[in-house]
Amino acid sequence: MPYDLQLIPGAIFAILADVAETHTLTLSDRFGLMAAVMDEHLTEDECRAINRLLRAVQRGRVSLA
């Protein structure tokens, strides 16, 4: 069953700023990233921001809430 996910403009950078301040990736942040990954029209800067967030989680610098 396909889902129609809409990414709010600027949401990726808002998530990045929030995570940089709190060092925590919340459930709503994760849903926002899921919507972003499914969006085929991401800019290169948005893709880099997502990759930075994922690497930070992988390295343990950001915790999941």
Side-chain angles (χ1 to χ4, degrees), residues 8-65:
I8 298 170
I12 295 171
F13 298 114
I15 292 170
L16 183 64
D18 185 46
V19 170
E21 183 178 321
T22 63
H23 300 285
T24 303
L25 194 64
T26 65
L27 183 61
S28 62
D29 293 338
R30 295 193 314 245
F31 277 114
L33 291 176
M34 181 184 68
V37 169
M38 293 183 176
D39 187 357
E40 297 176 359
H41 306 290
L42 292 178
T43 65
E44 188 174 334
D45 289 337
E46 291 171 329
C47 288
R48 285 184 186 149
I50 292 170
N51 287 337
R52 283 180 27 191
L53 283 170
L54 295 176
R55 275 195 305 269
V57 170
Q58 184 179 23
R59 293 180 178 168
R61 295 180 183 158
V62 173
S63 62
L64 300 178

